Amino acid sequence: MSVNIKHVEELRHIDLAARVEIARKVGKILAKQNGSADKADALELAQILMEDVAVSVREALSRELQVCSFLPKDLVSKLAQDIDQVSMPFLMASQAMDDALLEDIVRSCSEGAQEAIAQRIGLPEAVSYAISDVGCKSAVESLVGNDTIELSERSCNRVVDRFPEERSLMEKLAQRADLPASVVERIIFKISKRYGEYLSEKFGLATDYASYLASMANRQVFSRTLEMAPLSEIENYLQQLNQVNSLTSDVLLSYLQNSNVKLFTMAIAVLLDRPYEAVEARLNKGDKKVMARLLEAAGFSKSVIGVLLIAYDRLIRGH
């Protein structure tokens, strides 16, 4: 095909089927990896075709341009701002956009464009966060369901901040293999207040007491979930607690009472800034004096150590 048309305006007067075929051929020429003498003319034609009133013409061009590794930014912008039927297939697959342009499209274009980008393979973190930050609900759902990307902690937290009442979305987020432990905790405790209200109404319990019961149940659920996480994830979560002075004796007591041995051991390791394996080896001896010395080194008072030792003894006897 020769795309060197003397007067490109003549395209407007060609019948629809012919224009669709021209759009396909123009796209194929632009998609070729090797240099082509026709490419300059093809680019000129592509700009004209993107102004065509017929959706089928623009859609045919868009589908062929998906495989192009380079396109002028003005042409990409036209494709991105077109109706969903034209823009979405291109935005889902095109490699002609850098991270900055993808983020800009997410923050400035339609909901359809956001949803298409959320389905891309291997989406960069900055773009994922942009979708979490400003994307419509359907785009965020597509992002959370995209297992080809790794969702950062800030992206997960933003989703929870924006859609705390969207149960199906929270469930889908909770199913992700890369979900940080701190976000798991937030999702679980989101339901505490509502469940507390339910208990209060159903059984006539005082609101504070009902909320306390719901909170305790959710803490147990979270502890069991965290217990199954990789050691590195557990360590990261407990270090965050420690940094805000929240890795308290109450937390350690809760771990002992719920038989969360791994969490209890890692908590002491974090408090003492020692390797998990070293603390585990000492606790495995089952010697309460050894544990007492570790807790004392962690800065706990004798009365607190006494309470923890009682819980520890019950745990050991139970095993």
Side-chain angles (χ1 to χ4, degrees):
M1 167 195 171
S2 172
V3 295
N4 188 9
I5 295 179
K6 186 175 181 181
H7 300 293
V8 292
E9 289 78 6
E10 293 176 8
L11 277 174
R12 306 180 196 281
H13 305 294
I14 298 175
D15 67 80
L16 178 59
R19 298 203 312 276
V20 169
E21 184 59 25
I22 290 172
R24 289 198 186 100
K25 291 183 177 180
V26 166
K28 290 183 184 298
I29 291 173
L30 292 175
K32 288 181 180 179
Q33 297 299 317
N34 58 322
S36 171
D38 289 333
K39 278 198 172 181
D41 291 330
L43 274 175
E44 184 179 1
L45 276 174
Q47 297 284 4
I48 299 297
L49 290 165
M50 279 308 301
E51 302 292 342
D52 199 295
V53 294
V55 172
S56 56
V57 173
R58 305 196 308 276
E59 185 180 9
L61 180 63
S62 171
R63 290 188 179 279
E64 296 296 338
L65 294 181
Q66 288 179 41
V67 298
C68 290
S69 58
F70 172 79
L71 288 171
K73 284 194 173 182
D74 60 336
L75 183 56
V76 172
S77 295
K78 286 180 181 178
L79 286 162
Q81 295 173 26
D82 210 318
I83 63 172
D84 290 351
Q85 186 177 341
V86 176
S87 66
M88 286 188 71
F90 177 80
L91 291 172
M92 285 175 63
S94 173
Q95 300 303 309
M97 296 174 284
D98 59 22
D99 296 355
L101 182 55
L102 284 170
E103 184 176 355
D104 182 62
I105 292 171
V106 167
R107 295 186 178 279
S108 62
C109 290
S110 68
E111 293 185 354
Q114 293 174 342
E115 188 172 354
I117 291 175
Q119 298 175 59
R120 288 174 65 92
I121 295 174
L123 207 59
E125 194 278 337
V127 182
S128 295
Y129 178 72
I131 296 170
S132 302
D133 187 35
V134 302
C136 63
K137 180 173 173 282
S138 60
V140 174
E141 287 178 335
S142 294
L143 179 74
V144 171
N146 188 342
D147 58 8
T148 71
I149 63 173
E150 183 175 341
L151 273 184
S152 65
E153 185 169 352
R154 68 166 183 159
S155 293
C156 292
N157 278 319
R158 189 68 181 118
V159 172
V160 176
D161 286 340
R162 292 184 62 208
F163 302 99
E165 304 302 321
E166 296 293 340
R167 181 175 176 179
S168 62
L169 180 56
M170 291 299 101
E171 289 176 349
K172 185 180 288 188
L173 183 62
Q175 290 169 3
R176 288 193 61 92
D178 59 350
L179 189 66
S182 59
V183 181
V184 174
E185 183 182 37
R186 289 195 66 197
I187 293 173
I188 291 174
F189 284 94
K190 278 289 179 183
I191 68 169
S192 289
K193 183 178 179 181
R194 281 184 295 168
Y195 191 60
E197 291 171 351
Y198 166 77
L199 288 173
S200 179
E201 292 175 6
K202 184 174 179 64
F203 299 105
L205 301 175
T207 303
D208 289 347
Y209 182 56
S211 296
Y212 167 75
L213 291 177
S215 177
M216 288 296 292
N218 284 328
R219 284 186 184 279
Q220 291 178 17
V221 172
F222 174 64
S223 295
R224 287 196 298 270
T225 303
L226 185 60
E227 182 94 354
M228 294 184 290
L231 275 177
S232 59
E233 186 65 45
I234 295 173
E235 181 178 19
N236 179 58
Y237 170 71
L238 293 178
Q239 283 178 342
Q240 291 181 40
L241 278 187
N242 194 36
Q243 287 170 5
V244 293
N245 298 318
S246 295
L247 191 53
T248 64
S249 59
D250 288 343
V251 173
L252 270 66
L253 180 61
S254 173
Y255 292 158
L256 289 173
Q257 290 172 335
N258 292 298
S259 300
N260 302 129
V261 179
K262 188 190 296 185
L263 301 187
F264 178 75
T265 305
M266 181 60 83
I268 294 179
V270 168
L271 288 168
L272 296 176
D273 193 23
R274 294 183 188 176
Y276 173 87
E277 293 76 11
V279 174
E280 182 184 38
R282 298 193 68 184
L283 289 179
N284 280 345
K285 296 177 180 179
D287 189 335
K288 290 194 292 183
K289 292 182 179 179
V290 171
M291 181 180 155
R293 286 196 292 270
L294 289 173
L295 292 171
E296 186 178 4
F300 293 114
S301 66
K302 288 185 178 181
S303 58
V304 167
I305 292 173
V307 173
L308 292 174
L309 284 176
I310 291 171
Y312 180 70
D313 186 55
R314 288 174 179 169
L315 176 60
I316 296 301
R317 289 175 183 273
H319 281 66

